[in-house]
Amino acid sequence: MEQGYVRKPKFYGVGVGPGDSRLLTLRAVEVLQECQVIAIPRSKMERESIAWEIAKPHCPEGAKILELEMPMTSDQGVLQAAWEKAAKAVMGEINQGNSVAFLTLGDPSFYSTYTYLLNILKENLDPEQIETVPGITAMSAAAARVNLPLAIGDEPLLVIPGTGSLAEYRKFPNLVLMKASRNLDEILKVVHKGEVEGILATRVGQERENIRFLNKNEELEKVDYLTLVLLKHKS
Ligand SMILES: C[S@@+](CC[C@H](N)C(=O)[O-])C[C@H]1O[C@@H](n2cnc3c(N)ncnc32)[C@H](O)[C@@H]1O
């Protein structure tokens, strides 16, 4: 190593996959073992952070845990304040020479709070101090659990987050509905038409995993937030 060379501390966004501690990449494990600080996003409603439960077996015992509060709200002012507070806490560690691994459920680049934090940190860190470590998405894990492809050949795949009418998409060959708990009525309208094969996947890879096929007469009143739906048009 060059004399006097000091390696700058880094900020990592680490995808920990959907739930099973064996579904982390080798790079994710390597990073977790190297970092002095593990940053855990947490909403007040969560008793335990799921991302932490997944990553824990791979983290060194002495690693410092930095809990970052991420409120479950759509209030942009509240969210921005929380991300700025989290970025400040991360920068506090980096300025002391500590590398920080921020845990993300699934993949960090796929509907994750990580992006908001990253955008603030990009203004404070050199590009070589930032690394995003991809993870297995919940939708990939759900498809794998039922041994079905998400898409094949020339077929398109459409991912829809959250709420809204699904009428215009109901004939689409492959649909993934994220945050499905917020859109059950619309999902059921499509399922009741009997033109699709549907899979409802809750907490894939976790202790309370529940994956089932949706039938034409399905009735669902409530499902866990960590639920997604895969729909395939029968054509
Ligand atoms: C904010 S997004 C996070 C997506 C995540 N970054 C990924 O790569 O899958 C949250 C949504 O992802 C889906 N999700 C995340 N983890 C899941 C799991 N283990 N099982 C089923 N759905 C999951 C649910 O639809 C949930 O509402």
Side-chain angles (χ1 to χ4, degrees):
M1 192 191 289
E2 212 178 293
Q3 270 241 308
Y5 172 83
V6 182
R7 202 170 151 211
K8 284 185 181 172
K10 282 179 70 167
F11 172 67
Y12 297 90
V14 179
V16 299
D20 186 328
S21 295
R22 298 166 303 174
L23 287 185
L24 273 82
T25 64
L26 293 176
R27 180 63 186 143
V29 171
E30 197 174 60
V31 165
L32 292 177
Q33 287 176 353
E34 277 171 13
C35 281
Q36 291 79 22
V37 179
I38 310 292
I40 305 177
R42 186 135 175 212
S43 74
K44 270 195 182 143
M45 281 149 69
E46 276 182 303
R47 266 186 295 129
E48 291 289 332
S49 156
I50 297 164
W52 170 238
E53 288 304 311
I54 299 167
K56 194 155 70 177
H58 304 294
C59 295
E61 273 198 10
K64 176 174 171 183
I65 305 300
L66 182 66
E67 286 200 0
L68 303 173
E69 199 190 320
M70 298 285 155
M72 293 281 262
T73 171
S74 52
D75 183 326
Q76 283 307 307
V78 173
L79 288 171
Q80 189 62 34
W83 297 324
E84 276 167 17
K85 194 172 163 199
K88 214 169 153 189
V90 170
M91 282 309 299
E93 292 297 338
I94 291 189
N95 289 336
Q96 287 178 53
N98 294 330
S99 287
V100 179
F102 178 87
L103 307 183
T104 307
L105 202 55
D107 180 69
S109 310
F110 192 64
Y111 299 114
S112 169
T113 322
Y114 167 67
T115 301
Y116 303 110
L117 184 59
L118 178 65
N119 287 343
I120 302 175
L121 290 171
K122 272 182 179 168
E123 289 171 16
N124 296 278
L125 294 169
D126 295 338
E128 70 271 15
Q129 283 183 283
I130 300 177
E131 182 177 331
T132 301
V133 182
I136 294 176
T137 61
M139 67 176 179
S140 298
R145 290 290 283 123
V146 289
N147 298 312
L148 277 178
L150 285 170
I152 187 166
D154 296 333
E155 288 174 2
L157 169 72
L158 182 64
V159 180
I160 304 174
T163 56
S165 167
L166 297 177
E168 62 185 298
Y169 309 118
R170 85 189 156 81
K171 296 222 159 117
F172 215 80
N174 303 292
L175 286 181
V176 177
L177 309 170
M178 305 292 290
K179 304 177 189 176
S181 61
R182 298 181 183 164
N183 212 13
L184 277 187
D185 290 348
E186 279 297 313
I187 293 170
L188 286 176
K189 272 188 214 166
V190 176
V191 169
H192 289 166
K193 288 195 187 301
E195 299 165 353
V196 293
E197 273 188 313
I199 288 142
L200 182 101
T202 298
R203 291 187 173 259
V204 179
Q206 299 172 15
E207 222 171 28
R208 285 186 277 145
E209 176 182 279
N210 182 5
I211 303 179
R212 61 199 180 90
F213 285 86
L214 294 171
N215 65 55
K216 191 174 181 292
N217 306 316
E218 196 70 51
E219 291 305 334
L220 298 165
E221 277 170 13
K222 214 174 163 206
V223 295
D224 192 289
Y225 170 70
L226 286 180
T227 297
L228 60 82
V229 167
L230 307 180
L231 296 180
K232 285 186 173 291
H233 195 258
K234 294 183 197 164
S235 50

